[in-house]
Amino acid sequence: MLNDIFSRRYEKRPLFTTVGQAELKFFVQAYRIINEQVIPYYGYDKKVDEENKATWTWLHDQLTMELGVKELSAKYYSYQREWMGKPHNYSGFYEINKVCESFMTQGYQDEWDQDVFVKIRLSFVELAFRTREAQIATANKNLPIALQAPMWNDLKGKKNSFSLPGVTAKTYVEQAQASNDYMNAKFAADVHELNTRMLQAGMPLNYHNGYVQVAQDALTQAQIEQPFWSLVKDAKWMNVSTDMAEAIDRRDTGGRDPAFYAGKALESTIKIICVDKGWTTGNEKGASNFLDHLESKANGRFIEPWERSVMQAFFTGVRNDFGHGPGPAPMPVLTSEQMNSSIELSMSSIKSLINRL
């Protein structure tokens, strides 16, 4: 299967001109975060977690496919050592996490391309976090159904002696919910640590919702981007998250029409809210009709007229221009400042709309 990886998306945008101690230290830290926290290779009993081993094998195989190599580092070892005065041959296979560790913590050699060296290792980090995030999303989706299974009927009122750190003993159903909450909180903490480690290493990057992307200035990151990505993590906002990630990738790599994808993300948000609220009629022909529903007094005036004017102006003056062929007219082009403004406006509007639900 095809996988979207960091090194391919940013292939044409140079990001790293040196590989120093900061980068090498980060790769050790990133590997440990994944191996010890995100997808622990060994369980509490110090034995290999077979389910997580399968995930590590999948990660290795998927990344090697995308990079066009057979293995990230040597899987097989063979050496000779003297024992009781005679030479003996020893051989076998490394655990797959050890193969990935050797790849991630490999020393840099001067003849290698610095940019590629860093980017392909960041691709492993991105793929590992994305995979764990997808596993958690599936668990979140399946939890309500699982708790209604017949096996829970006799346990609903009974106490469970097992407890997570900071969680008092609860019924089995409450404990299952608490375990799910703990899993989500733990991954959020892992993401925060990863982003902090990248910042400490001087890497202008940020991981969110399955992707490592170039980070903007600290204020924009803290006040707009991070709150935005947190709000669109749920499955219902998947199209919003996907289009906004595409907008940022295109902006960061010089791709065409990032503002168009930012506009798509905003339009999807408006449509989702209207559908959820039961305000649609089936006769809507475009974003303007959905904005009518949000502004309507009958619907409680979800947005004020001035807010509708701002979003309408964006759709009319920016999104529509890039969503249609210009014909004989000049191709529409935005400056870098206008592109950033378009993405930030869309993010802020989406954040504001979702926060009202």
Side-chain angles (χ1 to χ4, degrees):
M1 64 179 290
L2 293 169
N3 283 282
D4 185 359
I5 59 172
F6 178 83
S7 61
R8 182 180 299 119
R9 294 199 311 277
Y10 286 87
E11 182 178 11
K12 296 181 179 180
R13 175 173 175 175
L15 294 172
F16 305 97
T17 57
T18 60
V19 179
Q21 287 302 310
E23 289 79 16
L24 296 177
K25 182 171 73 171
F26 167 76
F27 290 132
V28 174
Q29 294 168 334
Y31 169 78
R32 290 191 59 186
I33 293 171
I34 296 167
N35 187 56
E36 299 170 17
Q37 300 167 206
V38 179
I39 312 172
Y41 198 77
Y42 297 98
Y44 292 110
D45 58 0
K46 306 302 180 183
K47 295 181 180 179
V48 173
D49 184 315
E50 293 299 330
E51 185 175 346
N52 284 352
K53 179 179 180 178
T55 300
W56 276 86
T57 301
W58 185 90
L59 288 172
H60 174 276
D61 293 348
Q62 295 303 308
L63 186 56
T64 54
M65 176 63 79
E66 299 307 323
L67 297 179
V69 297
K70 290 186 176 181
E71 54 190 18
L72 295 179
S73 68
K75 290 184 177 181
Y76 181 80
Y77 63 86
S78 177
Y79 61 92
Q80 189 178 81
R81 189 168 64 186
E82 188 174 298
W83 186 66
M84 297 185 67
K86 296 182 180 180
H88 285 265
N89 293 321
Y90 298 87
S91 62
F93 289 91
Y94 293 114
E95 290 285 352
I96 194 65
N97 72 323
K98 179 64 176 177
V99 176
C100 296
E101 178 185 5
S102 296
F103 165 72
M104 286 292 292
T105 61
Q106 182 179 23
Y108 174 74
Q109 298 181 25
D110 290 338
E111 64 267 25
W112 294 345
D113 185 292
Q114 302 99 321
D115 201 46
V116 173
F117 181 88
V118 176
K119 285 175 179 176
I120 62 175
R121 283 156 182 79
L122 285 168
S123 296
F124 178 83
V125 176
E126 177 185 67
L127 190 58
F129 270 77
R130 181 191 301 158
T131 300
R132 181 55 183 155
E133 189 158 1
Q135 292 173 344
I136 292 174
T138 299
N140 292 341
K141 180 180 178 180
N142 293 338
L143 181 65
I145 299 173
L147 292 181
Q148 293 179 24
M151 65 172 286
W152 291 102
N153 290 341
D154 296 332
L155 301 174
K156 288 184 177 178
K158 297 181 180 179
K159 294 286 185 181
N160 178 11
S161 59
F162 173 72
S163 176
L164 291 165
V167 179
T168 57
K170 295 175 178 286
T171 65
Y172 280 90
V173 171
E174 291 171 329
Q175 185 66 54
Q177 181 64 63
S179 297
N180 185 263
D181 293 342
Y182 177 80
M183 174 181 65
N184 280 271
K186 182 179 177 301
F187 182 71
D190 292 337
V191 170
H192 176 73
E193 180 177 354
L194 175 68
N195 286 332
T196 300
R197 298 289 185 188
M198 286 194 287
L199 181 64
Q200 291 172 343
M203 295 181 174
L205 305 169
N206 184 268
Y207 172 86
H208 46 254
N209 297 27
Y211 296 94
V212 172
Q213 295 183 308
V214 173
Q216 295 300 296
D217 64 272
L219 187 61
T220 299
Q221 186 70 31
Q223 295 189 358
I224 298 178
E225 294 193 6
Q226 287 189 0
F228 168 83
W229 293 116
S230 296
L231 285 172
V232 298
K233 287 178 69 68
D234 291 344
K236 75 187 254 182
W237 307 110
M238 180 180 67
N239 291 337
V240 177
S241 177
T242 299
D243 278 332
M244 191 60 75
E246 183 70 20
I248 290 176
D249 273 344
R250 286 172 178 255
R251 177 195 65 189
D252 294 342
T253 59
R256 289 191 58 190
D257 305 340
F260 173 69
Y261 287 90
K264 285 181 64 179
L266 177 55
E267 184 172 3
S268 286
T269 304
I270 293 167
K271 289 180 177 179
I272 291 169
I273 292 173
C274 288
V275 170
D276 281 358
K277 293 286 189 180
W279 294 337
T280 57
T281 64
N283 297 319
E284 294 84 5
K285 299 186 182 301
S288 181
N289 295 135
F290 287 95
L291 287 172
D292 289 341
H293 299 322
L294 297 185
E295 187 190 4
S296 170
K297 287 184 178 180
N299 294 331
R301 186 148 280 176
F302 194 79
I303 60 174
E304 293 297 322
W306 69 267
E307 294 176 293
R308 183 249 170 79
S309 296
V310 171
M311 286 184 274
Q312 184 72 64
F314 173 71
F315 287 130
T316 302
V318 180
R319 196 284 308 267
N320 289 352
D321 281 352
F322 289 90
H324 303 285
M331 184 69 70
V333 177
L334 296 180
T335 65
S336 60
E337 292 79 12
Q338 290 169 334
M339 282 191 291
N340 285 336
S341 178
S342 296
I343 291 173
E344 291 169 16
L345 172 64
S346 296
M347 279 188 169
S348 296
S349 298
I350 292 168
K351 184 162 64 78
S352 175
L353 292 170
I354 295 177
N355 277 331
R356 302 179 198 200
L357 294 175

